[in-house]
Amino acid sequence: MNSISSIVGSQSFSLKNFIPHKYIDLLMADCLRIRDFDPVSTLHCFVLQILKNGSCKEALAAFNLCRLKNGLKLVSMNSAAFCKARKKLRQETLKQIALETGKSIEKEASAWKWKDRDVYLVDGTVLQLEDTKEIRSIYPITKARNIQQGQPKLRALGLFGLASGALLDCELGKYVGKGQAETTLFGKMLLRIKSDSIIVLDRFFTSFIIQEKILRSGNDYVIRARNLFAKKHLGRKNDVTVTIVKPLRSAYEGDFDYDEIVQQIDVRIIKSSIKRKGFRVAVTYIMTSFIDGKSYKKSDIEDLYLKRWNVELDIRNFKTTLGSSLLKTKTPEMILKEIWVRIICYNLIRKIIGLTSNYFNDHCPRKRSFKTAMSLYSNVVLGMGEKALIDVILLLKTEILNAKYRREPRAVKKRNSRYCLLTTDRKNAKKQEWGYSRRSGHQGLSKGKVA
């Protein structure tokens, strides 16, 4: 117990110790006088709001509880001062904090590297935004037959570490528009990925251009191949190395460095058969830059690609567990700030999991539950103080997941509500008359009737 106490003492989980001190100074650089909501206190309260998945009032209640334990004066429960203080936080500083904390967590998980190499998982997702005029001007709503569909959306591409699960980098873009696809965002992110790493991707990133750019950056890749392409080159074999040629320029008119791309590259294609008792054999085709079959066996490549499922769980933890699927801020500037603070919260929980695995040295951080760690931190540590972190670490020691290869249907079980979709903003919808259909059981706009 004393040894655990020493580790907790050296890696305290108050916000000031979790964030590197140089960024604390950056946060306080614009603070001309001491207030109740200085930048560090504001960020602390912002983190509490996200971890509690609540409103500003709930964040202030948790913030006052922390101040009460430290013998500080309570702040007003009026959220106006807190909301104004959030707007003053610098987006660039929040981004630097989020990325720096992720990198530090990945370094601490070096014991669980794959063949002593860094492995990064890349995948994208879509976040919903509040439907306001300011947000719609930056993030337009998709339309079908000139009718708005749902709410504004934002596309996010995340880079996760395989060893620790930390979110190391994030590229943001619009949901619609030219140059906003995941492949384009990945091209920007690739410039920041350090060389001699392995990038694991799904079959959305199978183009020749992407493969060549990864190789040019000094990295290797493992990508799920498209079935028709793989069958064409494999024939009756299970493991072949082929040479693919650069496509015609007309297919990549938007690529500005087309002439700099090499004419051909060598690719290894593998047919992987996953056998599970009671299930049909699942066949997956994998393409990789690991041409040397002696150093990287077929079973090694298969095992590495199966770990790609972890990025789906990481995105689920970020969106569902942290409640990030719908961002509740009302302006485009605050949307970006909220995303980076949510990444800080995500990495904070990953830090606790990594500390537990490093101390007991028994299981990879991937084997421990993110949701359990977040629940324990939110309810035990924030309620009882940092001394309770020792109990959290001991509880997390027994929380070991037994996740195996999974194939989940892309379907939801819960049925939709009886209300129809709102295809315009609520202000204009109030002027229209809405009726009820006995045949379909749905409420909807009465045809030809406008108030």
Side-chain angles (χ1 to χ4, degrees):
M1 184 65 68
N2 293 332
S3 57
I4 300 179
S5 301
S6 62
I7 290 181
V8 173
S10 63
Q11 302 189 37
S12 176
F13 274 87
S14 65
L15 196 66
K16 289 185 178 181
N17 290 300
F18 173 66
I19 297 174
H21 291 289
K22 61 181 179 180
Y23 295 113
I24 296 291
D25 297 335
L26 281 177
L27 284 172
M28 298 297 293
D30 296 333
C31 187
L32 301 178
R33 60 191 180 93
I34 298 177
R35 301 171 179 265
D36 289 335
F37 287 104
D38 58 80
V40 177
S41 299
T42 304
L43 179 57
H44 185 198
C45 196
F46 207 162
V47 168
L48 291 176
Q49 180 182 359
I50 292 172
L51 291 178
K52 293 290 186 180
N53 200 11
S55 62
C56 293
K57 294 283 187 181
E58 292 173 316
L60 288 173
F63 184 61
N64 272 325
L65 182 61
C66 294
R67 291 179 66 90
L68 190 63
K69 289 173 184 175
N70 294 319
L72 300 175
K73 180 183 176 182
L74 300 181
V75 299
S76 172
M77 288 299 293
N78 189 338
S79 60
F82 170 55
C83 293
K84 289 179 181 178
R86 288 195 310 177
K87 294 180 181 179
K88 296 179 182 179
L89 291 174
R90 284 186 174 185
Q91 176 193 329
E92 285 301 321
T93 305
L94 296 176
K95 180 179 178 179
Q96 291 174 3
I97 293 171
L99 301 183
E100 188 71 23
T101 52
K103 291 177 182 177
S104 65
I105 297 169
E106 185 69 9
K107 287 180 182 178
E108 293 172 1
S110 58
W112 291 280
K113 287 183 178 182
W114 188 80
K115 292 183 178 294
D116 294 328
R117 294 187 66 180
D118 292 315
V119 180
Y120 301 131
L121 310 176
V122 178
D123 203 2
T125 187
V126 176
L127 307 177
Q128 290 190 345
L129 312 176
E130 290 289 345
D131 192 4
T132 64
K133 285 186 178 180
E134 291 182 338
I135 292 177
R136 285 200 303 269
S137 63
I138 304 296
Y139 303 100
I141 302 178
T142 56
K143 291 186 179 181
R145 298 179 182 177
N146 206 25
I147 298 177
Q148 294 180 355
Q149 301 293 318
Q151 298 176 249
K153 298 176 183 178
L154 178 145
R155 192 184 302 279
L157 186 72
L159 179 75
F160 296 85
L162 175 63
S164 65
L167 210 168
L168 307 174
D169 200 353
C170 184
E171 193 70 39
L172 306 174
K174 302 176 184 178
Y175 181 68
V176 295
K178 188 175 181 180
Q180 304 298 322
E182 290 182 9
T183 51
T184 307
L185 298 179
F186 176 70
K188 300 176 183 178
M189 181 184 291
L190 185 59
L191 301 174
R192 302 190 295 268
I193 299 177
K194 68 177 183 179
S195 59
D196 196 33
S197 302
I198 304 172
I199 305 173
V200 183
L201 302 155
D202 60 18
R203 54 185 166 188
F204 189 70
F205 300 88
T206 55
S207 73
F208 180 95
I209 305 295
I210 291 178
Q211 295 179 61
E212 198 277 337
K213 284 185 175 180
I214 295 175
L215 292 175
R216 197 196 312 173
S217 65
N219 298 305
D220 291 300
Y221 60 84
V222 174
I223 308 175
R224 181 173 179 179
R226 298 186 182 274
N227 293 357
L228 292 177
F229 172 84
K231 290 177 181 178
K232 175 183 175 181
H233 292 90
L234 278 171
R236 295 179 177 275
K237 298 180 180 179
N238 293 330
D239 189 351
V240 298
T241 300
V242 299
T243 301
I244 57 177
V245 183
K246 179 171 67 171
L248 297 176
R249 186 183 182 91
S250 58
Y252 293 91
E253 293 179 354
D255 203 294
F256 61 90
D257 57 353
Y258 178 86
D259 297 330
E260 300 178 6
I261 296 173
V262 298
Q263 293 296 325
Q264 59 185 26
I265 57 175
D266 295 331
V267 178
R268 183 180 177 188
I269 303 175
I270 295 172
K271 179 181 178 182
S272 174
S273 299
I274 303 168
K275 299 178 182 179
R276 289 187 299 163
K277 188 176 181 180
F279 293 86
R280 291 182 180 179
V281 176
V283 178
T284 303
Y285 299 98
I286 305 169
M287 58 195 307
T288 177
S289 59
F290 294 125
I291 300 175
D292 185 5
K294 294 182 180 179
S295 301
Y296 299 95
K297 298 180 181 179
K298 179 175 177 287
S299 58
D300 295 333
I301 305 299
E302 292 173 340
D303 180 65
L304 178 59
Y305 181 76
L306 288 180
K307 293 181 178 1
R308 199 206 71 84
W309 179 257
N310 286 290
V311 74
E312 305 288 349
L313 304 180
D314 294 337
I315 292 176
R316 184 191 67 178
N317 289 329
F318 181 75
K319 289 183 65 175
T320 305
T321 309
L322 271 180
S324 306
S325 57
L326 175 61
L327 305 180
K328 299 178 181 179
T329 47
K330 308 292 185 181
T331 61
E333 296 79 11
M334 283 303 301
I335 285 172
L336 300 178
K337 293 178 184 179
E338 182 179 357
I339 289 175
W340 294 117
V341 175
R342 287 184 178 275
I343 293 176
I344 293 173
C345 295
Y346 176 87
N347 286 335
L348 173 63
I349 304 303
R350 284 295 180 191
K351 177 78 173 181
I352 298 173
I353 296 174
L355 178 61
T356 307
S357 298
N358 281 330
Y359 174 73
F360 292 107
N361 198 23
D362 52 356
H363 294 280
C364 173
R366 288 287 187 180
K367 284 287 187 178
R368 291 190 159 85
S369 171
F370 181 92
K371 189 171 184 178
T372 301
M374 178 180 169
S375 178
L376 289 172
Y377 182 79
S378 301
N379 297 303
V380 178
V381 177
L382 295 181
M384 300 174 62
E386 290 183 20
K387 294 181 180 179
L389 185 62
I390 297 173
D391 300 324
V392 170
I393 292 175
L394 292 174
L395 290 171
L396 279 177
K397 180 181 184 298
T398 61
E399 180 68 14
I400 304 299
L401 302 177
N402 188 25
K404 297 181 180 180
Y405 175 75
R406 296 168 58 181
R407 297 185 70 190
E408 299 292 342
R410 298 247 178 202
V412 293
K413 189 172 183 179
K414 292 184 179 180
R415 271 51 175 178
N416 294 329
S417 63
R418 287 154 49 101
Y419 296 99
C420 66
L421 296 176
L422 189 65
T423 57
T424 183
D425 58 279
R426 193 166 293 276
K427 183 178 179 181
N428 291 327
K430 289 180 180 179
K431 301 177 183 178
Q432 300 173 345
E433 185 176 340
W434 298 78
Y436 181 80
S437 172
R438 293 183 179 179
R439 180 175 295 179
S440 63
H442 285 74
Q443 279 192 333
L445 178 63
S446 299
K447 295 184 178 179
K449 295 183 179 181
V450 179

